[in-house]
Amino acid sequence: MKKLKAKTGIIWAILGLPLIIILSPGMNSFSESAAKLPFVKINPNYTGGEVARQIISPNCTIDIRKPVFNGLTGERKNGFVQVDWRGKIPEEIIDTIDFNLDNLPDFRVHILTKQERTEINAFNSQSQKLIISTPTSYGWAIRVKVTR
């Protein structure tokens, strides 16, 4: 029985090899076409979520994103909110963030970009702690753990 399974596997691999060789050159255009389909979306756990509010200043734009609570099987109790600073980033960032758009500050962030040091002061029980603070190709981004 083991020999039969091994031979079947080898035959399957040999038959599949020409198919892979034939399809390989067209995979790039196929994947680009598939990515443009309307039902294909990037998971917000990777993108940070949709932009809920944008604050534009002369040197820098702040994107406050919608909170993300996506889980593998459904909504989670805990999630995160991502805030992006785009443009010319100063050496020190001090901003008050209202992520739930209730016109009340939810947390204050103090970032020293040269030392890569970030402090969060939460003003309500929804904002819990800093998950990550990092320089990016477009500026700076933080993620703060939040609860419902």
Side-chain angles (χ1 to χ4, degrees), residues 1-17:
M1 188 67 170
K2 287 184 180 181
K3 287 185 179 182
L4 179 64
K5 286 183 180 180
K7 287 181 182 180
T8 306
I10 291 170
I11 291 170
W12 182 252
I14 290 170
L15 291 174
L17 185 62

Side-chain angles (χ1 to χ4, degrees), residues 51-145:
V51 175
R53 184 174 178 193
Q54 193 172 58
I55 302 168
I56 300 171
S57 66
N59 295 330
C60 180
T61 300
I62 303 172
D63 290 338
I64 303 170
R65 298 179 176 272
K66 292 180 182 177
V68 175
F69 294 99
N70 286 25
L72 184 60
T73 58
E75 294 289 311
R76 294 182 180 180
K77 181 179 151 187
N78 294 320
F80 68 88
V81 65
Q82 180 169 317
V83 182
D84 301 322
W85 286 265
R86 297 175 179 272
K88 186 178 179 191
I89 306 300
E91 289 185 19
E92 183 176 37
I93 299 171
I94 301 173
D95 282 317
T96 304
I97 306 298
D98 172 24
F99 71 86
N100 58 9
L101 306 177
D102 62 356
N103 293 323
L104 296 172
D106 295 309
F107 61 88
R108 180 180 163 271
V109 61
H110 182 203
I111 303 170
L112 298 172
T113 58
K114 295 291 183 195
Q115 292 88 10
E116 294 189 10
R117 203 172 82 212
T118 304
E119 294 177 13
I120 295 285
N121 296 333
F123 298 139
N124 64 24
S125 60
Q126 282 184 304
S127 308
Q128 292 190 337
K129 65 178 182 176
L130 181 70
I131 297 174
I132 191 167
S133 176
T134 185
T136 61
S137 61
Y138 53 79
W140 200 274
I142 65 167
R143 284 189 177 182
V144 176
K145 183 178 179 181

